[in-house]
């Protein structure tokens, strides 16, 4: 990339997109454009084409997506499949048609089979059944990933993909009806502390193992890949470290300062039992994360407290 490139970050106000914008600006990329959903509906093919016709971006980061936790995925799988595939098809095709120099597509490690080998290598994609609780989202993301590969293979387009692990940090979604595990815990423990509640109920058994990456580290890895990587195979982005959901809950409780009890509702689903990424490829390229889990939770909670009036609640 060139510092004078016009870079379109789709989803620039979300958890992922806003972090990528911060990272790009910190590295001297100042010509960054974005559009809110109200300004540009990425599921509208004609509107997306009109946008590319007018703006002619040099680089595209496709971070826009309909996302949510287990409850949201179980409740609206058709919307998760349809909206994400529409967004991807429209943006990727226009990036090809308008000769974008480089595109970065962001997927998610939920694309891997439910019982994938641990840690999960990039080659595990499409080798087994998916986790049912996020199957619709995963299928859509796999379609986008493969589309980038096919455009590269057939036309030589420089479209690359990365698969970040579970992310958290500034601009996260704290709405309990659709949030992921980390922001949901922060919100629940914070509210319980404020209200003087004797206990907090968390879903599942607490036994699944998960990997968590602070979103600004993820953004740094994305810019690194934009600058350094042009391969066809997608690249995992993670820490290579895992923690049980029960251990995560204790960390969040400690950071928030909540002293009540935790009640585990084992009648609710756990999701995939273990999901750790193999980051050998990323380490081999020369990138490693910087933010430890407890430090990251402190940063995320500080942002939540300072922005509670405008956070997605």
């Amino acid at each position: 990339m060139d510092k004078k490139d016009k870079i379109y970050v789709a989803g620039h106000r979300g958890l992922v997109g806003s972090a990528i914008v911060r990272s790009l600006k910190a590295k001297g990329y100042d010509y960054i454009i974005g559009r809110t959903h109200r300004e540009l509906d990425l599921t509208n093919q004609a509107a997306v084409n009109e946008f590319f016709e007018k703006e002619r971006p040099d680089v595209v980061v496709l971070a826009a997506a309909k996302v949510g936790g287990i409850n949201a995925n179980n409740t609206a799988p058709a919307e998760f499949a349809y909206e994400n595939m529409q967004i991807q098809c429209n943006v990727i095709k226009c990036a090809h048609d308008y000769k974008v120099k480089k595109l970065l597509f962001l997927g998610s490690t939920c694309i891997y089979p439910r019982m994938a080998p641990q840690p999960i290598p990039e080659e595990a994609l499409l080798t087994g059944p998916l986790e049912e609780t996020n199957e619709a989202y995963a299928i859509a993301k796999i379609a986008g990933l493969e589309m980038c590969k096919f455009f590269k293979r057939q036309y030589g387009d420089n479209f690359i993909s990365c698969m970040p692990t579970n992310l958290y940090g500034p601009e996260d979604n704290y709405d309990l009806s659709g949030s992921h595990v980390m922001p949901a815990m922060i919100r629940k423990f914070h509210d319980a502390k404020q209200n003087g509640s004797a206990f907090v109920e968390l879903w599942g058994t607490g036994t699944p193992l998960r990997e968590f990456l602070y979103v600004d580290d993820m953004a740094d890895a994305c810019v690194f890949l934009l600058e350094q990587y042009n391969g066809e195979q997608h690249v995992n982005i993670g820490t290579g470290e895992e923690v049980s959901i029960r251990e995560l809950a204790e960390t969040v409780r400690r950071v928030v300062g909540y002293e009540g009890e935790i009640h585990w509702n084992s009648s609710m689903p756990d999701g995939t039992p273990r999901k750790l990424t193999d980051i050998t490829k990323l380490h081999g390229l020369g990138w490693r994360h910087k933010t430890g889990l407890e430090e990251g939770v402190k940063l995320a909670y500080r942002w939540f407290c300072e922005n509670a009036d405008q956070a997605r609640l």
Side-chain angles (χ1 to χ4, degrees):
M1 290 199 305
D2 188 281
K3 294 292 169 59
K4 296 181 180 179
D5 283 339
K6 179 190 280 193
I7 305 172
Y8 169 47
V9 179
H12 72 291
R13 296 206 304 183
L15 169 70
V16 172
S18 64
I20 292 173
V21 169
R22 288 194 297 273
S23 184
L24 285 166
K25 288 182 176 179
K27 291 176 171 62
Y29 297 95
D30 295 321
Y31 200 173
I32 302 169
I33 60 173
R35 294 290 185 274
T36 65
H37 177 69
R38 181 173 295 179
E39 293 169 329
L40 175 60
D41 179 1
L42 293 176
T43 67
N44 184 322
Q45 185 180 46
V48 176
N49 189 78
E50 182 180 349
F51 167 77
F52 272 81
E53 171 71 32
K54 177 182 178 182
E55 295 294 341
R56 303 282 175 151
D58 300 300
V59 177
V60 171
V61 178
L62 183 42
K66 181 178 178 62
V67 299
I70 289 177
N71 181 57
N73 276 270
N74 278 338
T75 303
E79 282 76 12
F80 273 86
Y82 174 77
E83 291 185 28
N84 283 305
M85 283 193 276
Q86 283 289 95
I87 290 169
Q88 295 159 188
C89 287
N90 292 339
V91 174
I92 292 170
K93 182 59 163 57
C94 280
H96 166 74
D97 289 344
Y98 291 94
K99 296 178 172 53
V100 165
K101 292 198 301 185
K102 194 163 191 176
L103 177 143
L104 173 64
F105 174 78
L106 285 96
S108 164
T109 51
C110 73
I111 66 168
Y112 290 119
R114 172 180 168 81
M115 301 306 292
Q118 302 290 326
I120 310 171
E122 286 87 354
E123 294 79 8
L125 184 67
L126 297 173
T127 60
L130 299 166
E131 163 61 36
E132 289 185 4
T133 56
N134 57 29
E135 184 179 19
Y137 177 78
I139 287 174
K141 283 296 180 182
I142 291 170
L145 171 72
E146 294 294 281
M147 195 183 311
C148 288
K149 181 177 73 177
F150 297 143
F151 270 93
K152 175 182 281 289
R153 187 175 294 175
Q154 182 174 345
Y155 298 108
D157 292 322
N158 196 2
F159 295 173
I160 64 172
S161 301
C162 63
M163 298 299 116
T165 189
N166 300 292
L167 303 171
Y168 66 98
E171 305 295 344
D172 213 338
N173 177 13
Y174 291 90
D175 180 351
L176 295 179
S177 67
S179 59
H180 289 104
V181 61
M182 178 78 82
M185 283 186 181
I186 290 175
R187 171 83 184 275
K188 285 186 174 183
F189 284 126
H190 175 82
D191 288 354
K193 178 183 176 182
Q194 296 295 107
N195 299 331
S197 303
F199 70 91
V200 166
E201 180 181 287
L202 299 179
W203 281 17
T205 62
T207 58
L209 297 172
R210 290 291 183 272
E211 175 185 22
F212 294 93
L213 178 67
Y214 188 62
V215 72
D216 283 358
D217 281 356
M218 178 279 312
D220 184 70
C222 286
V223 178
F224 174 85
L225 291 172
L226 281 167
E227 293 175 331
Q228 304 289 337
Y229 184 69
N230 299 300
E232 182 178 283
Q233 186 182 57
H234 63 280
V235 180
N236 289 337
I237 300 179
T239 65
E241 302 166 1
E242 61 187 347
V243 62
S244 73
I245 297 299
R246 190 176 293 269
E247 291 169 326
L248 174 67
E250 292 297 340
T251 298
V252 175
R253 175 165 68 169
R254 182 168 60 252
V255 168
V256 172
Y258 174 67
E259 298 180 352
E261 297 180 356
I262 299 174
H263 291 182
W264 294 93
N265 184 351
S266 59
S267 68
M268 303 305 291
D270 272 332
T272 304
R274 189 183 181 201
K275 192 168 62 173
L276 176 67
T277 55
D278 183 340
I279 49 173
T280 303
K281 186 177 183 68
L282 186 58
H283 282 180
L285 292 170
W287 186 91
R288 291 178 181 269
H289 77 285
K290 300 173 183 176
T291 310
L293 180 62
E294 184 140 354
E295 178 189 359
V297 174
K298 288 178 180 177
L299 291 170
Y301 184 53
R302 182 186 308 161
W303 183 90
F304 173 80
C305 290
E306 293 174 351
N307 296 275
D309 59 331
Q310 58 189 31
R312 288 180 285 169
L313 303 177

